[in-house]
Amino acid sequence: MKAAICTKYGSPEVIIIQDIPKPNPSKQQILVKIMATAVNSGDVRTRSLDAKGILKFLMRIVLGWSKPRKPILGTVFSGIVESVGNKVTTFKAGDKVFGMTGFNFGAHAEYIVVNENSHVLPKPENAGFDEAAAIVFGGQTAIYYLHKAKITQRQKAKVLILGATGSVGIAALQIAKYYKANITAVCSTQGEQIVNELGAEQILLYDKEGIFQCKENFDIVFDAVGKYSKNQCKHFLNKNGIFVTVKNGYAAETLQQLQLLKKLFEQGHLKAVIDKIFLLEEIVEAHRYVDTGRKKGNVVLKISHHQ
Ligand SMILES: NC(=O)c1ccc[n+]([C@@H]2O[C@H](COP(=O)([O-])OP(=O)(O)OC[C@H]3O[C@@H](n4cnc5c(N)ncnc54)[C@H](OP(=O)(O)O)[C@@H]3O)[C@@H](O)[C@H]2O)c1
């Protein structure tokens, strides 16, 4: 099978397409023919080992010292089950699925094997493969941080989303709306139309009028882009306000998050915002684009052309 191999840490060109053996599912695994995946901030960060000081050291320990221990990057996938191990009961050949692999990576390839009890589910009924792959990374991260900020316990919360046009921010906007929040979105002029269409009640353009003159208070301030500090934002918080940021901790993936994303997509609360679609062969270009830090929503990598 064809797979995108990250040969060392560095610029996008370190990724090369290679032919490697197709994996075989063990007794509790399913073999998925990947139709679509995504190139996310997590992939380009891993490829470039983008961190400073002690964090870089920790990343090397977790990901591999001189090159990624898991050379096939990609943490999300959608596709069709091709075969299953002899102990598998949940899935059968032909099932259309979507899922996430997290630190196991492996999705930038034509096939992947995953455990039937891992983060994999039937894909949303109404989603194309591109859409199913696009909603996972930002969606699960947004759920993690919004739940951490206790959005489910707050009635009609006032929420400020800083960086509302990234993969995480665009999902956070829609998921917070599902929880009946009143949203103020922070984005650039380039992103204004998208967040407007997704139903943000107020929009603050950081590249035009700035944001810190805003005198409103919020129940939740979510830095979904990792460029704002709690100190900068403390005047936005009301008495019981909570500040959460993607810079703090790791948004551990759970099956419940995937179940919620499936439900929200099927019920029309969540749309897949896809900025660009690349083919597997164009992965270097896809990495270059995600490296700009300016994508709106998600960059999909189409693996199979027959969708
Ligand atoms: N902790 C975790 O577990 C976890 C999980 C996922 C992601 N993350 C982190 O979360 C961050 C966001 O991830 P992502 O995948 O959403 O990234 P992304 O899709 O690459 O986000 C880029 C978006 O941010 C906007 N942006 C850039 N600078 C901004 C600013 N100063 N204010 C407001 N918006 C700005 C860009 O639009 P404009 O340039 O037009 O403004 C673009 O739409 C990354 O740093 C990533 O490493 C952490």
Side-chain angles (χ1 to χ4, degrees):
M1 69 166 182
K2 284 196 171 42
I5 308 286
C6 184
T7 53
K8 55 183 175 182
Y9 295 123
S11 58
E13 297 73 29
V14 301
I15 311 264
I16 54 171
I17 305 290
Q18 283 185 355
D19 261 311
I20 60 165
K22 188 169 152 182
N24 280 318
S26 64
K27 52 190 177 186
Q28 284 229 297
Q29 287 182 324
I30 62 175
L31 173 70
V32 179
K33 177 178 165 57
I34 299 181
M35 304 301 281
T37 171
V39 178
N40 291 309
S41 55
D43 300 310
V44 302
R45 199 151 182 219
T46 301
R47 187 215 72 230
S48 59
L49 202 71
D50 172 24
K52 289 194 181 85
I54 183 77
L55 212 58
K56 197 165 202 133
F57 176 76
L58 291 175
M59 271 178 87
R60 282 189 196 272
I61 288 179
V62 174
L63 299 169
W65 195 255
S66 56
K67 59 182 182 180
R69 210 171 286 123
K70 311 269 184 188
I72 305 173
L73 304 180
T75 60
V76 299
F77 63 89
S78 66
I80 302 172
V81 176
E82 186 158 292
S83 64
V84 302
N86 58 13
K87 290 263 165 36
V88 169
T89 54
T90 334
F91 296 99
K92 58 180 188 323
D95 286 351
K96 294 174 177 171
V97 295
F98 80 136
M100 53 183 141
T101 58
F103 277 124
N104 283 325
F105 295 98
H108 291 168
E110 288 182 313
Y111 291 89
I112 192 167
V113 284
V114 294
N115 196 292
E116 67 164 333
N117 298 318
S118 64
H119 303 121
V120 54
L121 284 178
K123 81 169 171 63
E125 294 278 346
N126 52 339
F129 288 105
D130 293 347
E131 292 172 311
I135 59 175
V136 179
F137 177 82
Q140 72 91 15
T141 309
I143 292 171
Y144 174 86
Y145 285 101
L146 289 173
H147 284 188
K148 193 172 164 194
K150 302 190 171 29
I151 195 165
T152 53
Q153 296 162 29
R154 290 162 182 252
Q155 293 292 318
K156 298 189 177 161
K158 277 185 71 188
V159 178
L160 177 68
I161 299 173
L162 301 151
T165 54
S167 178
V168 179
I170 250 166
L173 198 169
Q174 300 180 76
I175 294 162
K177 269 199 93 67
Y178 165 72
Y179 289 121
K180 309 256 183 295
N182 177 290
I183 317 279
T184 299
V186 171
C187 62
S188 71
T189 321
Q190 263 190 19
E192 184 176 11
Q193 193 185 341
I194 302 173
V195 298
N196 193 23
E197 281 167 11
L198 291 174
E201 274 81 9
Q202 287 86 229
I203 300 171
L204 298 174
L205 301 175
Y206 77 87
D207 60 344
K208 205 169 170 190
E209 67 256 31
I211 67 165
F212 294 108
Q213 81 293 348
C214 168
K215 295 282 174 271
E216 277 192 56
N217 289 152
F218 300 89
D219 300 303
I220 296 172
V221 174
F222 179 21
D223 173 15
V225 69
K227 295 202 172 171
Y228 300 83
S229 68
K230 184 172 183 183
N231 204 29
Q232 267 180 315
C233 296
K234 60 179 187 246
H235 71 281
F236 288 137
L237 293 170
N238 63 24
K239 202 163 127 274
N240 297 313
I242 296 183
F243 176 82
V244 284
T245 169
V246 289
K247 271 191 293 196
N248 270 359
Y250 168 66
E253 55 272 0
T254 68
L255 196 59
Q256 288 74 20
Q257 292 159 354
L258 204 58
Q259 275 158 346
L260 182 56
L261 292 174
K262 175 173 159 69
K263 181 178 105 175
L264 295 188
F265 194 92
E266 287 174 346
Q267 294 180 349
H269 298 291
L270 178 66
K271 287 196 184 87
V273 178
I274 298 174
D275 182 334
K276 280 184 194 284
I277 300 180
F278 294 90
L279 305 178
L280 178 61
E281 299 73 28
E282 299 169 321
I283 188 146
V284 170
E285 224 177 295
H287 269 254
R288 275 193 203 118
Y289 187 60
V290 179
D291 265 353
T292 64
R294 304 221 63 187
K295 73 177 163 66
K296 306 291 177 279
N298 299 283
V299 163
V300 163
L301 200 61
K302 219 185 235 312
I303 305 291
S304 171
H305 306 213
H306 311 288
Q307 296 202 19

